[in-house]
Amino acid sequence: MPTSVLDLAPVVPVVVIEDAADAVPMARALVDGGLPVIEVTLRTPAALDAIRAVAAAVPDAVVGAGTVLTPAQVTECVAAGARFLVSPGWTDGLLAAMAASGVPYLPGVSTASEVVALLERGVREMKFFPAQAAGGTAYLRSLAGPLPRARFCPTGGIDPDNAPEYLALPNVGCVGGTWMVPADAVAAGDWDRVRELARGAAGLGSGSGCQPGFRSGSGVRDAGGTCR
């Protein structure tokens, strides 16, 4: 049984919720399509309400918070029901708050020095951001040799065409992306389209050794599925 958010599904939808009323139908469509892990970014005023709604109404979803920037946001997100936390970068203060939160977290990195600093602090799982702009698969491949203990969820510029290349890397557990929740589909409430796009994204892991799966429960550790 996996103990990491990196092992629950090959693709993590990174969603921006403008209207909290969209959160539950969107989450249901994503889960139905095979993507139970959902990162709701703190980029809109509706984000915390969206996390709260999904946590209450979609038990088969593992909803988390992204773009976490401050210790105060850590507290707010966990109180709202976030089951994991993701940041685009990190400071010692933010890292301490995430570590004390009681939920899994992925601090963001884009350089080897940041990776080494996190490994020194006992953190082995990280978000690689912005993935494409920071060097893409070539950069991550270069890190695998000298820093084999580090595992990543690359996010930023990931799409259906390059996602399989990332998922094939030994130090990548999953990728984050937005293509399965296009803005026009969300605006139109076209949840069938979201479901089909999610189904396609979930299938991207079949060639990389990832086997997505999920069993509902109280924590991320209750989710099923393996990667490598």
Side-chain angles (χ1 to χ4, degrees):
M1 180 181 300
T3 59
S4 165
V5 69
L6 296 184
D7 294 328
L8 305 187
V11 179
V12 176
V14 180
V15 303
V16 179
I17 302 288
E18 300 289 348
D19 184 345
D22 291 330
V24 168
M26 178 191 296
R28 286 176 175 155
L30 291 169
V31 171
D32 287 347
L35 298 182
V37 185
I38 303 168
E39 176 187 334
V40 177
T41 65
L42 300 184
R43 299 184 187 182
T44 69
L48 285 175
D49 285 339
I51 292 170
R52 194 173 291 112
V54 173
V58 192
D60 284 347
V62 178
V63 63
T67 323
V68 178
L69 303 177
T70 68
Q73 287 179 329
V74 170
T75 301
E76 292 170 344
C77 292
V78 174
R83 292 169 64 183
F84 64 94
L85 305 169
V86 184
S87 66
W90 62 277
T91 64
D92 283 328
L94 178 59
L95 193 68
M98 290 193 294
S101 70
V103 301
Y105 57 95
L106 298 173
V109 297
S110 60
T111 69
S113 293
E114 291 170 317
V115 175
V116 171
L118 285 178
L119 290 173
E120 187 178 75
R121 289 162 173 78
V123 178
R124 296 181 57 185
E125 299 184 343
M126 312 163 197
K127 170 179 178 174
F128 181 60
F129 176 83
Q132 282 292 94
T137 55
Y139 193 89
L140 285 173
R141 189 178 296 109
S142 296
L143 292 180
L147 301 170
R149 291 187 299 142
R151 296 182 71 216
F152 302 96
C153 175
T155 305
I158 310 294
D159 58 35
D161 294 327
N162 60 28
E165 300 174 24
Y166 281 95
L167 291 169
L169 297 175
N171 53 353
V172 169
C174 63
V175 299
T178 62
W179 73 88
M180 69 296 297
V181 282
D184 59 340
V186 175
D190 189 352
W191 307 123
D192 287 337
R193 182 180 171 199
V194 171
R195 185 179 299 106
E196 288 307 307
L197 289 169
R199 186 168 291 120
L204 293 175
S206 60
S208 66
C210 296
Q211 300 296 324
F214 181 72
R215 294 198 306 275
S216 62
S218 61
V220 169
R221 293 172 187 268
D222 297 309
T226 60
C227 187
R228 295 176 188 87

